[in-house]
Amino acid sequence: MKRKIICFLLIFIFTLTSIGYAVNISIDGNKVGFTSQSGVPFVDSNSRTQVPLRVTMESFGATVGWNNNTRTATVEKDNIKVEVPIDQSYIIKNGQKIKNDTAATIKGGKTYLPIRVVLESLGASVGWDGTTQTVTVTKEPIEEIKIHFIDVGQADCILIELPNNEEILIDAGNKDDSYTIINYLNNLGIDHIEYFVLTHFHEDHIGSASAVLNAFYV
């Protein structure tokens, strides 16, 4: 009896590692429906979720195509074109090659794409809900706070860009750092600063403060 149980477990584990286990896909909170005809998402040997091409990408609002000569799937949305060649560990976004750690594949006559790299290239945010075994997709990317540590040597100067297009500048390095700081901000297209924070009155924190105030509307 024990031998039968062990054999069954080994077969079960081998099956999981060979074909992957099924997962759910949710786009903006709506679960994508899959059938035997459309194909079902699975996790490949590289631990990456592969999804049926047409039903998944059309549920995302993209148009899909197929080039039989090059065996390449195409996905287009909002002036972004993503080309996904079969059995190649890269995709091409608007002509630019992006490496990936797994490849699109054809299984049971159906084309499957690695969901994360394709949808993130189309501007989506892709996450994972382990409790429900669901890949969560949000069409609009989550707005991020960007933090820049401006190189002013041993001094301090930090720029924070908020999602609402507001900027916070913390400290302003030494007096000789004014060109570096102003040039850095100009290269980012910044012409005004909403908040200018001087943490304390040491020269390596406020040295270029007057130059910043003269160069930008604060």
Side-chain angles (χ1 to χ4, degrees):
M1 182 65 181
K2 288 183 179 179
R3 184 174 296 175
K4 290 182 179 180
I5 293 173
I6 292 172
C7 290
F8 174 78
L9 288 175
L10 289 174
I11 293 171
F12 180 71
I13 293 170
F14 176 78
T15 302
L16 285 179
T17 56
S18 299
I19 64 174
Y21 55 90
V23 297
N24 301 306
I25 308 296
S26 173
I27 298 178
D28 286 340
N30 299 312
K31 186 176 179 180
V32 180
F34 298 100
T35 66
S36 57
Q37 290 185 332
S38 69
V40 178
F42 67 95
V43 176
D44 65 16
S45 59
N46 294 311
S47 299
R48 295 292 178 258
T49 302
Q50 299 274 358
V51 294
L53 165 64
R54 185 169 297 279
V55 64
T56 307
M57 296 304 153
E58 288 185 347
S59 296
F60 183 71
T63 57
V64 301
W66 172 257
N67 186 324
N68 199 47
N69 293 327
T70 60
R71 298 180 77 241
T72 299
T74 59
V75 183
E76 297 184 64
K77 188 177 188 297
D78 299 332
N79 297 318
I80 299 175
K81 181 179 181 180
V82 179
E83 300 169 79
V84 190
I86 299 299
D87 296 329
Q88 300 295 324
S89 297
Y90 65 86
I91 65 171
I92 301 173
K93 175 186 176 181
N94 288 346
Q96 180 181 3
K97 183 183 288 187
I98 300 173
K99 291 183 178 180
N100 192 35
D101 55 4
T102 194
T105 187
I106 294 178
K107 179 180 175 182
K110 299 176 179 62
T111 302
Y112 288 82
L113 309 183
I115 188 171
R116 179 178 292 276
V117 67
V118 174
L119 289 187
E120 286 184 348
S121 295
L122 293 173
S125 295
V126 181
W128 172 252
D129 185 344
T131 59
T132 60
Q133 298 292 295
T134 300
V135 176
T136 58
V137 179
T138 305
K139 289 182 181 179
E140 295 298 329
I142 298 173
E143 293 182 315
E144 297 179 343
I145 295 175
K146 296 181 181 179
I147 302 177
H148 305 254
F149 294 92
I150 302 175
D151 186 3
V152 288
Q154 295 300 315
D156 287 309
C157 186
I158 300 171
L159 173 70
I160 301 175
E161 291 186 277
L162 300 178
N164 58 357
N165 294 320
E166 290 186 342
E167 282 76 35
I168 302 172
L169 186 67
I170 303 175
D171 290 333
N174 288 299
K175 186 175 182 180
D176 294 337
D177 296 320
S178 59
Y179 174 80
T180 299
I181 296 170
I182 292 171
N183 190 54
Y184 191 99
L185 298 179
N186 284 334
N187 286 338
L188 291 175
I190 294 173
D191 56 10
H192 63 279
I193 300 167
E194 277 69 29
Y195 304 97
F196 188 13
V197 180
L198 300 174
T199 58
H200 60 284
F201 295 108
H202 284 171
E203 199 274 336
D204 59 343
H205 289 259
I206 67 167
S208 296
S210 60
V212 170
L213 291 168
N214 288 329
F216 300 94
Y217 177 80
V218 178

